[in-house]
């Protein structure tokens, strides 16, 4: 599960771009960007 942000309505959505279509469930926009870009040098504190 990856966090994505719709570039149109700016809602954060959880989708799996491999198994699901990359489409915003809120406004059906098809352009989403990663909410948290992969950064191998940074570890998120849980
Ligand atoms: Zn949207």
């Amino acid at each position: 599960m990856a966090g994505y942000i719709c570039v149109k309505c700016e809602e954060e959505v959880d989708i799996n771009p491999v198994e699901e279509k990359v489409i915003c469930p809120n406004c059906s926009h098809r352009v989403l960007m990663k909410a948290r870009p992969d950064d191998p040098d940074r570890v998120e504190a849980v």
Side-chain angles (χ1 to χ4, degrees):
M1 195 72 84
Y4 280 76
I5 294 177
C6 172
V7 300
K8 186 175 182 182
C9 68
E10 299 185 330
E11 283 288 326
E12 184 169 346
V13 297
D14 284 319
I15 57 169
N16 183 341
V18 176
E19 298 181 1
E20 298 179 36
K21 291 182 180 177
V22 180
I23 186 168
C24 176
N26 300 305
C27 69
S28 298
H29 197 61
R30 295 169 187 269
V31 180
L32 306 179
M33 62 181 179
K34 269 193 171 181
R36 300 180 205 86
D38 291 333
D39 186 351
D41 292 328
R42 188 179 303 169
V43 178
E44 278 192 52
V46 180

